[in-house]
Amino acid sequence: MSLLCDSSKSDASAPSVVARVIEPLRSGVRRMGISGLKGSSRSFLLSLLWHEYPTTLLVVTPTLKEAEDYYHELRFFAGNHGAARPDDEEQHSICIYPPDEEFPFAHAARHSDLTSRKLAVLHHLCLSEQPRIVIAPVTSLLRKSIPRSVLQHYSMNLRVGEEVDREVLSAKLVQCGYLKVGIVEDRGDYSIRGGIVDVYPPGYSTPVRIELFGDVIESIRHFDPVSQKSCGERNDLWIVPVTEAIFEEDNLSQISERIRLQGGQGMSSNEPVDDLIRDFSEFHVNAEIERYLPYLYPELETLFDYLPQGSLIYLHHSEEVKREREILFEQALERYTTSTELDKLIPDIDQFYLSTEKMDERINTFQTIYGDEVSFALPEEEVVSLTTETNEDIRRELINFTSSQAMLSPLVDRMREWQDEGCTVMMICHSQSEVHKLIELLEEYGVTAQLSHVEQVTRELLTSPATPVKI
């Protein structure tokens, strides 16, 4: 953890740390910087900002490692505001838009679970029911994906009491990448046995059983795939595609034309082109077909196309983001060259990725916060300067403290100094039992502490003036 303070002294007339960030945004500033943030102070400040400035927030990180750190920290600091039903693991208000584990044009095994997670995030953005925090490594942000209109069209909402045609449902599930099996165990599985339809769509931590009375949905329940026992009832269910490659027979002529125009260039024979078109026409569509994704649609889209209007972007270390972006393109070009030697029908590389220029253009269409620790190429009035301190010195003091008595003395002395300075002190524990144990230990030093939930602390900090915070 880090210690977050405003660079100004506590002053009842001074705006809070959050207000200093929100006021420029509300006034219409398109770009602003926040300097001096370190460690988890970034997530802490973003969680406060999100509570007070409720809009979809896209956090762009250099790599997946930073994205995962933000995810765990924001889930903690956001409290119940980021919570969801226990069986809706991907429907939290805070989620990661995962990067590919392999290049989209490579001859490699496809990870259906990864695709399911991506499509779940995109689908939730389509619903736009509530502001969300989406954390995206830059590599996932650059990757083009299924068009929003197609994903919306093939996402099905089933409700208790409504009618559903089992044959039509089965055909649509197959078209959306689902696999018909005997027992549903993995995402993308489905089965139909009489009046029972089992399906495991993206966005849920357990599969779902739909019980029909005739053609009417009588109940929708989650169930354990091992014991087959029900573990929760719901009124409705979203079934989202598990593949980006959704083939529409009516579009076969356009798909064939795109393959012949783009894939057939420079080839001595049309036989490979004809074979690929035949695979499409005979519905031989599998995970490998995603290598040809650009042929299926007039134009692919990116995460930017799914963000609601008025969304806010936070760039974690913009220079590192640019560096990782360049590394991706270098590696992708090298792998693309190898892949096209094996398969000359693979679409052009620029059909799979957003260019650096286009990415910068898309970012500039949203309000953007730059969270670098260095100075910005921005006017001084558009940069909020904060002071953060690490707690490594306290950690060292505690480790090196030789007395077996009063082992927490270095920490208690520092806490008293902070309180004398007018700081709010927050101590974070992994569990409630640890909280009670710590309170008992501090009482032995004459320090009074109380249990506070994140939501309560957040409310206090949002309404307080510029009070320094120690975490």
Side-chain angles (χ1 to χ4, degrees):
M1 291 292 175
S2 296
L3 316 176
L4 169 64
C5 328
D6 196 328
S7 57
S8 60
K9 296 292 184 182
S10 179
D11 181 350
S13 64
S16 67
V17 174
V18 181
R20 292 183 60 202
V21 178
I22 290 176
E23 287 171 4
L25 294 173
R26 285 181 172 160
S27 68
V29 168
R30 302 300 298 173
R31 297 189 306 159
M32 65 176 298
I34 303 178
S35 65
L37 294 176
K38 297 176 184 178
S40 60
S41 63
R42 302 182 183 94
S43 298
F44 181 53
L45 182 59
L46 286 177
S47 68
L48 297 177
L49 172 64
W50 192 51
H51 276 84
E52 189 70 7
Y53 193 70
T55 187
T56 292
L57 171 64
L58 172 62
V59 179
V60 182
T61 65
T63 68
L64 180 59
K65 172 63 171 62
E66 289 95 351
E68 290 173 338
D69 289 343
Y70 271 106
Y71 174 75
H72 293 296
E73 292 167 3
L74 285 167
R75 284 284 300 277
F76 172 81
F77 288 125
N80 287 337
H81 196 59
R85 288 170 52 106
D87 44 47
D88 296 355
E89 66 172 23
E90 301 296 344
Q91 295 193 26
H92 288 280
S93 299
I94 302 169
C95 55
I96 294 178
Y97 186 61
D100 292 326
E101 293 182 355
E102 186 51 89
F103 293 105
F105 41 75
H107 291 258
R110 304 296 166 191
H111 299 274
S112 57
D113 191 61
L114 182 68
T115 301
S116 295
R117 288 167 54 201
K118 289 176 59 177
L119 294 177
V121 174
L122 295 178
H123 169 69
H124 297 323
L125 288 172
C126 288
L127 296 179
S128 298
E129 292 178 347
Q130 60 179 347
R132 298 183 181 276
I133 298 180
V134 179
I135 309 157
V138 66
T139 53
S140 64
L141 198 60
L142 291 166
R143 171 77 152 83
K144 294 182 179 180
S145 187
I146 183 173
R148 179 181 179 132
S149 60
V150 177
L151 182 61
Q152 287 178 303
H153 179 72
Y154 284 95
S155 296
M156 298 174 280
N157 184 233
L158 304 182
R159 294 180 177 274
V160 172
E162 293 183 346
E163 292 187 359
V164 61
D165 187 310
R166 274 166 283 190
E167 291 186 4
V168 173
L169 175 61
S170 179
K172 197 165 185 179
L173 286 171
V174 171
Q175 191 176 16
C176 291
Y178 286 80
L179 177 66
K180 191 171 185 179
V181 296
I183 299 177
V184 170
E185 296 177 312
D186 302 314
R187 280 194 182 90
D189 288 351
Y190 87 99
S191 71
I192 298 180
R193 304 183 308 280
I196 296 177
V197 180
D198 290 347
V199 63
Y200 200 162
Y204 305 100
S205 58
T206 56
V208 180
R209 177 162 294 151
I210 305 164
E211 295 186 1
L212 303 173
F213 183 76
D215 288 336
V216 177
I217 299 175
E218 196 171 50
S219 67
I220 302 175
R221 293 186 175 90
H222 287 273
F223 68 92
D224 186 308
V226 177
S227 67
Q228 295 291 299
K229 291 183 179 179
S230 297
C231 55
E233 193 166 351
R234 56 187 312 121
N235 294 320
D236 71 322
L237 167 73
W238 276 104
I239 300 180
V240 179
V242 292
T243 179
E244 297 184 75
I246 299 177
F247 176 73
E248 297 177 297
E249 190 175 6
D250 293 343
N251 294 335
L252 179 60
S253 60
Q254 294 99 314
I255 294 171
S256 301
E257 184 178 356
R258 283 192 285 271
I259 294 173
R260 293 190 187 281
L261 285 176
Q262 301 171 34
Q265 295 179 1
M267 298 189 68
S268 58
S269 168
N270 286 328
E271 185 176 345
V273 175
D274 295 335
D275 289 344
L276 180 57
I277 293 173
R278 188 180 304 109
D279 284 343
F280 279 114
S281 63
E282 295 176 356
F283 299 96
H284 293 164
V285 179
N286 52 46
E288 277 293 289
I289 215 69
E290 292 196 0
R291 288 209 312 273
Y292 309 108
L293 192 65
Y295 293 145
L296 292 182
Y297 310 109
E299 189 172 353
L300 297 179
E301 296 180 348
T302 66
L303 182 62
F304 290 114
D305 297 291
Y306 286 81
L307 293 177
Q309 272 192 324
S311 295
L312 177 66
I313 294 178
Y314 175 85
L315 283 173
H316 171 95
H317 282 305
S318 58
E319 290 304 316
E320 289 185 20
V321 167
K322 291 178 181 178
R323 192 157 46 246
E324 289 295 328
R325 183 172 64 180
E326 295 306 316
I327 291 173
L328 169 71
F329 284 132
E330 289 175 9
Q331 294 176 343
L333 185 58
E334 181 180 344
R335 188 61 182 272
Y336 181 79
T337 303
T338 303
S339 298
T340 51
E341 291 174 356
L342 300 172
D343 184 356
K344 296 188 181 300
L345 285 177
I346 295 175
D348 291 338
I349 190 171
D350 59 3
Q351 294 190 53
F352 290 99
Y353 294 105
L354 199 64
S355 67
T356 55
E357 295 79 9
K358 287 291 184 182
M359 175 182 165
D360 292 339
E361 286 178 13
R362 297 307 303 270
I363 288 176
N364 289 336
T365 61
F366 297 92
Q367 285 185 301
T368 306
I369 297 176
Y370 294 83
D372 302 71
E373 292 179 354
V374 296
S375 58
F376 300 87
L378 292 172
E380 185 177 344
E381 62 272 14
E382 294 179 10
V383 177
V384 175
S385 298
L386 302 174
T387 301
T388 53
E389 310 162 4
T390 68
N391 58 13
E392 289 303 315
D393 57 336
I394 306 173
R395 180 187 294 271
R396 283 194 298 271
E397 284 185 42
L398 288 170
I399 293 173
N400 296 330
F401 194 66
T402 56
S403 173
S404 59
Q405 302 294 322
M407 294 180 64
L408 292 182
S409 292
L411 175 60
V412 171
D413 292 343
R414 189 68 62 89
M415 289 171 61
R416 286 176 174 146
E417 289 177 14
W418 292 335
Q419 288 179 317
D420 290 341
E421 294 170 3
C423 296
T424 298
V425 180
M426 293 173 57
M427 303 191 71
I428 297 172
C429 299
H430 291 287
S431 65
Q432 192 158 312
S433 61
E434 289 187 7
V435 171
H436 292 302
K437 180 64 175 176
L438 182 59
I439 289 175
E440 291 176 4
L441 290 172
L442 291 175
E443 285 177 350
E444 297 177 8
Y445 294 84
V447 176
T448 302
Q450 63 180 13
L451 169 63
S452 296
H453 294 286
V454 175
E455 299 93 321
Q456 178 185 346
V457 175
T458 299
R459 283 194 300 270
E460 293 175 358
L461 291 172
L462 288 173
T463 56
S464 298
T467 304
V469 180
K470 304 291 186 178
I471 304 175

